[in-house]
Amino acid sequence: MGGGNNSVVSEIVLVGLTSSLEMQLVLFLVFSVFYVTGILGNLLIVLTVISDSHLHSPMYFLLASLSFIDMWVSSIAAPKMISDLFKERKVISFQGCIAQMFFIHVIGGTEMVLLIAMALDRYVAICRPLHYLTIMNFRTCILLLVVAWTIGIIHSLIQLVFVVNLPFCGPNEVDSFCCDLPRFIRLACTDTYRLELMVTANSGFISLGTFFILVISYIFILVIVWQRSSGGLSKALSTLSAHITVVVLFFGPCIFVYSWPFPTVPVDKFLAIFDVIVTPFLNPAIYTFRNKEMKVAMKRIFSQMLSSRKLF
């Protein structure tokens, strides 16, 4: 392939997850159910927050933003991963591979910042309830969302601006179900040691750093609540448990894939499934089934839909 990166590689071959026909069928069914359910669940949350005026608050605005991002998280790689299961030769164009990595890191970086914004929202709501609506107003929420997307785009561009100029002359096989940066860099026909360190510093340390910031912030909130009232600790734990669960599920695979010193071990592509399929599926379940207001709002919307149908 000609171009600015002096590459002769026009496509990337993806090894995939398994060559067993029985396992392919099982994975196809499981992944399809997870993907469709995750998309519908997150879409339901977004539409519920938009439609119900009782949910027009900072917390639900950020929750709907997370659900919107989760729909993109699963849609970037999951449809191709599912469609490739029964293909003997799984390929993606070189440009498509670059685009896939770009959007994976944009969405991943955006979600990291958004989770910090959600932790800030819970801190203000629990520790400074009288000033909550003053601090977490609509303007603040929009600003946090703009900052999250801006950081996500910058985070992705910083890495890919170096990758696109690498020479790729073969091999072109990646032992994964999608294009991931650590494995893709190793295909370059040049020494990539410094670039690998940059990727580790950018994605690995940012993932690890953000995870510790979130954990420390949740501990800080719980300590403050415990000092004020030991009775309020259980309520705070109940409120924060959903956030903590999402943080662990999201950052666990990210930290392993981008910070682990042996990125070619087979387990990393199976952990990546959590970020691509499982986490977007679990997020609506975690937030919806544990949130009384959300469940009441959904029942209200379904009741209105049934009532409107009866009129016709």
Side-chain angles (χ1 to χ4, degrees), residues 33-49:
V33 170
F34 270 61
Y35 173 67
V36 173
T37 306
I39 290 291
L40 293 178
N42 283 297
L43 182 61
L44 179 61
I45 290 178
V46 173
L47 294 178
T48 302
V49 172

Side-chain angles (χ1 to χ4, degrees), residues 209-222:
T210 306
F211 175 75
F212 281 120
I213 288 172
L214 288 168
V215 170
I216 291 170
S217 67
Y218 290 137
I219 293 174
F220 183 69
I221 292 171
L222 293 174

